[in-house]
Amino acid sequence: MTASVAWINGQWGTAASLQLPLDDRSLLLADGIFETVLIHNGEPQLLQEHLQRWSDSAALLGMDPPPQRDALGPLIEGAIQRSQLSEADGALRLNWSRGSTSQRGIGLPASGHHRFWLTLHACAPTFSPVTTITSCHERRNDSSRLSRCKTFAYGQAIQARREAQEQGADDALLLNTTGVLCCGTAANLLVRRRGQWLTPALSSGCLPGVMRSRALAQGIAAETELAAEFEAEDQAVLINSLSCRPIAFHNGKSMAAMTGALDLWQSILH
């Protein structure tokens, strides 16, 4: 199994060996979007759902349409073969940047110069419990288009995670600008309350996560507004395509014990 596989501009290599031009707007301005897809038993999981969100995000942000399944299929298969992940799990990242620009500043360049690249790394899904805090410094903007897209701009999440780790916790939960619970730094929030899984509505500013969307479509979870504080008997998990992690302690207080995180994740995935 190789450490990583990457592709850009017709070249295969590793993420460390291949190059991205220094004038790419993803580097200069974090101007781009990406998707992280689970590879399991040599197959991309929920690929169509990821590609739909990718396309929706590009349209919302005024970007050119990103590559779709017909064009990506041979590249994804090539990455899986080169990485030798036919019997192991991996994280496939599909990247779409607005591309290189000769102009300085944030003005939008002409269309037609977008750039695609992918990376694939071995990565086992995670189900271990976490401790969390509520971030005091970062809030999710419920009215921003960027909150609805998986963009390269993760500075807010990084700072919230740093805040948590400085307090001895693993991760932070983010309130939105109106003060209600929204999401984790890199995952959607599901709360089990009185026998029902609940999750903040998209109007809260949370990312339309693929696993979150499937949980809603399958009737496993329902949307609601969640106050800033958990209730006494709440169970909670942070979920995304690569993990489903129960919250064991929040703001120093123990949460109701949550077992079966793997079963929940698998029931949503399949």
Side-chain angles (χ1 to χ4, degrees):
M1 185 185 302
T2 60
S4 72
V5 170
W7 181 96
I8 187 171
N9 296 331
Q11 291 186 311
W12 288 100
T14 66
S17 66
L18 296 180
Q19 298 179 349
L20 188 66
L22 295 182
D23 62 356
D24 192 279
R25 287 173 64 96
S26 64
L27 292 175
L28 298 174
L29 301 168
D31 189 8
I33 55 177
F34 72 99
E35 289 291 326
T36 303
V37 182
L38 171 68
I39 303 297
H40 179 65
N41 290 334
E43 296 291 335
Q45 305 297 301
L46 309 182
L47 180 59
Q48 193 55 46
E49 288 92 333
H50 282 284
L51 296 183
Q52 185 62 59
R53 181 174 64 179
W54 209 26
S55 293
D56 292 345
S57 297
L60 185 63
L61 299 181
M63 300 179 69
D64 290 356
Q68 289 301 293
R69 193 163 193 152
D70 289 348
L72 292 172
L75 291 174
I76 295 174
E77 180 60 30
I80 293 170
Q81 291 178 357
R82 288 169 181 269
S83 65
Q84 303 174 27
L85 285 176
S86 59
E87 296 182 1
D89 294 326
L92 171 72
R93 176 164 162 152
L94 306 173
N95 304 281
W96 187 234
S97 158
R98 213 179 294 264
S100 295
T101 177
S102 60
Q103 67 188 51
R104 185 181 180 279
I106 66 171
L108 293 179
S111 63
H113 301 286
H114 286 51
R115 178 173 283 115
F116 166 73
W117 69 98
L118 66 77
T119 60
L120 176 57
H121 301 266
C123 179
T126 307
F127 306 98
S128 56
V130 292
T131 59
T132 60
I133 64 164
T134 300
S135 174
C136 295
H137 301 292
E138 303 297 336
R139 291 206 175 192
R140 191 83 171 179
N141 188 340
D142 51 284
S143 64
S144 173
R145 292 175 178 175
L146 295 173
S147 296
R148 296 158 58 186
C149 305
K150 199 171 180 69
T151 75
F152 295 149
Y154 261 60
Q156 182 181 63
I158 291 168
Q159 290 304 310
R161 182 78 60 90
R162 171 176 168 250
E163 179 186 350
Q165 292 174 346
E166 287 176 343
Q167 297 183 37
D170 301 306
D171 205 352
L173 302 185
L174 298 178
L175 305 178
N176 70 4
T177 51
T178 65
V180 298
L181 275 172
C182 185
C183 56
T185 58
N188 285 115
L189 176 66
L190 295 181
V191 176
R192 187 167 179 82
R193 180 174 295 168
R194 292 183 283 278
Q196 171 68 56
W197 283 107
L198 304 171
T199 191
L202 292 183
S203 58
S204 71
C206 69
L207 183 74
V210 168
M211 294 294 280
R212 172 194 176 279
S213 297
R214 283 183 65 84
L216 293 172
Q218 295 170 5
I220 294 174
E223 291 184 327
T224 192
E225 182 177 285
L226 295 172
E229 300 292 337
F230 289 115
E231 295 185 3
E233 300 302 318
D234 282 350
Q235 299 171 315
V237 297
L238 291 172
I239 189 167
N240 59 28
S241 294
L242 297 174
S243 66
C244 183
R245 307 191 69 180
I247 298 176
F249 292 87
H250 181 67
N251 289 338
K253 299 179 180 178
S254 62
M255 299 281 293
M258 164 65 190
T259 59
L262 173 59
D263 292 339
L264 172 64
W265 186 79
Q266 288 181 330
S267 68
I268 296 171
L269 181 65
H270 302 297

